[in-house]
Every structure is written in structure tokens, then in C-alpha cells.
Amino acid sequence: MSTPDTALAAPGIEVHGAPVGKGSLAVVLLHGRDQDPGWMHDHVLTRLAPRLAGVTVTWVLPAAPGRSWYAGRVHDPETGTLAERDRAADVVDGLADALVARGVDAGSLVLAGFSQGACLVADHLLRRPRRWAGAVIWTGAAFGPPGTDRSLPPSAPDPVPLRGLPVLVTNGDADAWVPLADTEETVAELRARGADAELRVQPGRDHEVADDEVDAAVTLLTRLARRP
């Protein structure tokens, strides 16, 4: 894992918006398969940021090696993607640690992603103990075939580790890459662990972040930025 001194300066990392430590929120934004931070900036961030009137945000966009975070698909057996998911999770944790070290309040960190990135957001919430202010999962699901047992062991220190965490989850009703049923299963798992997970289903849309999904994220981020 990168150290706080190097994570934000690692190759491929893009930082936009408010200077680190000066925004009301800091959002780590993960791109999808065959994409990169530039794609997320041009297709998502340029639509999202202008709608956040009065909200100052530091946007941190990491790059996956070879433009993909993992080689398989989300409903493949969990073991097939575990090593790649762990590497991606280490990148996320390294960036979060670096932001906190640079003056960002830990309660102002948001994790968001699209497609592959969204699946990694779900995975991070379910497998890593870090506490976030909120999360956005645009077309994502937890890893593993349908019906995968992701229940916490009886020895888990907190049976509801995501208690009260606001999570926006979206998908199309017939997405070609992430089946809606998988997303619905993920929402149920997030809620079982205490998250305040909202699911928004987009009828007939392509594999993209639709305007309505951008607006829903604006609503969540605005609410998070204005919390007392």
C-alpha cells in the first residue's frame, strides 16, 4: 500500500476541484473497465460538479493498471478476482489515508464508482472496516455468483458495521454487464449490515451513468456536505 506521502502523487492519480483539505467533501471516484480517470472526468465529473451549487469537493480519480481493475466479471467465483480486488482496495485505502493525512476530516470521505469501479465500491464496503461518510454505486454489485454467502461470522465485532451509512445504488433494468438481480442482492446485503441503501432502477438505459443517476448523486453529496 502507498504511504500518505506518495499515494496522491502516484502515477495516474488525478485530483480535481478543491485543493486537498479545503473541500467540504473528498470523493474517491473509481472508473470502469477499459476506462481511465480521463473518461470519468469527461463523462461523469463534468456533469456532476457543476450541479453541486455551493458544495466544495476534492475529487480523487485513481487509474487501474491496464485500464481495468480486474480481468473477470462480477458474478465469477469470488476467489478468481480476490487478488485483484485486494490490490484495488489497497489503492482506495491508501488514498483515503493520504487525504486524512493532508487535513481531510475522516467523516467527509465518500467512495464512488461506475461499473467495475462500482463493484469495487460494494466490495470495499462489505470487506474493509473503514468508515465512509457515504458511497455511490453506479451499476455495481458484490462479487460472486448469485446466492453467494457473504454473511458475517458470529465472531464479528459489530453485526451491523455499516450502521446508518448512506449508499446510493443504481442500475438499469437490463444492464448487459451487471444483472439487476445481482445489484438487488447487494442492496439487501448492505441493508442487512445497517446501511441506508437507496436503489434507483433506470428503465431501458445503456451501460452508462444517466442524468437521473447524476442528479441522485448530487442530492446525496449535497446532503452529506451540509450535515452538522
Side-chain angles (χ1 to χ4, degrees):
M1 184 184 299
S2 300
T3 67
D5 292 333
T6 62
L8 290 170
I13 303 293
E14 293 188 11
V15 180
H16 298 275
V20 176
K22 302 298 183 182
S24 51
L25 296 173
V27 179
V28 177
L29 189 57
L30 305 179
H31 65 76
R33 186 190 300 269
D34 295 327
Q35 297 172 359
D36 57 21
W39 190 98
M40 287 298 284
H41 176 271
D42 295 344
H43 290 82
V44 177
L45 190 52
T46 57
R47 296 156 58 208
L48 184 59
R51 304 183 196 198
L52 286 163
V55 179
T56 55
V57 183
T58 302
W59 307 93
V60 181
L61 284 62
R67 295 169 59 90
S68 290
W69 295 104
Y70 51 90
R73 296 188 66 166
V74 65
H75 45 254
D76 292 343
E78 285 187 291
T79 53
T81 56
L82 183 58
E84 293 164 301
R85 287 153 52 205
D86 280 340
R87 284 195 293 270
D90 287 344
V91 169
V92 170
D93 279 337
L95 290 172
D97 289 342
L99 288 165
V100 172
R102 294 274 296 275
V104 176
D105 186 280
S108 298
L109 293 172
V110 178
L111 183 58
F114 167 62
S115 191
Q116 264 203 350
C119 295
L120 291 172
V121 172
D123 189 55
H124 207 285
L125 296 180
L126 294 174
R127 294 200 307 126
R128 297 272 174 135
R130 178 181 295 276
R131 184 70 178 178
W132 298 88
V136 179
I137 299 171
W138 286 306
T139 309
F143 287 84
T148 295
D149 183 7
R150 305 181 186 90
S151 57
L152 293 169
S155 59
D158 186 349
V160 282
L162 303 178
R163 190 190 310 269
L165 179 71
V167 185
L168 170 67
V169 186
T170 72
N171 201 349
D173 58 358
D175 190 86
W177 287 93
V178 183
L180 177 58
D182 292 357
T183 299
E184 292 172 332
E185 188 176 293
T186 300
V187 169
E189 182 63 48
L190 291 169
R191 289 173 177 167
R193 299 194 188 193
D196 180 12
E198 174 193 4
L199 175 62
R200 299 176 69 98
V201 179
Q202 304 294 311
R205 70 130 164 83
D206 293 328
H207 189 67
E208 62 180 0
V209 181
D211 279 343
D212 182 63
E213 293 165 283
V214 171
D215 288 338
V218 167
T219 298
L220 173 61
L221 294 174
T222 300
R223 175 160 56 92
L224 294 176
R226 294 176 179 169
R227 289 184 309 181

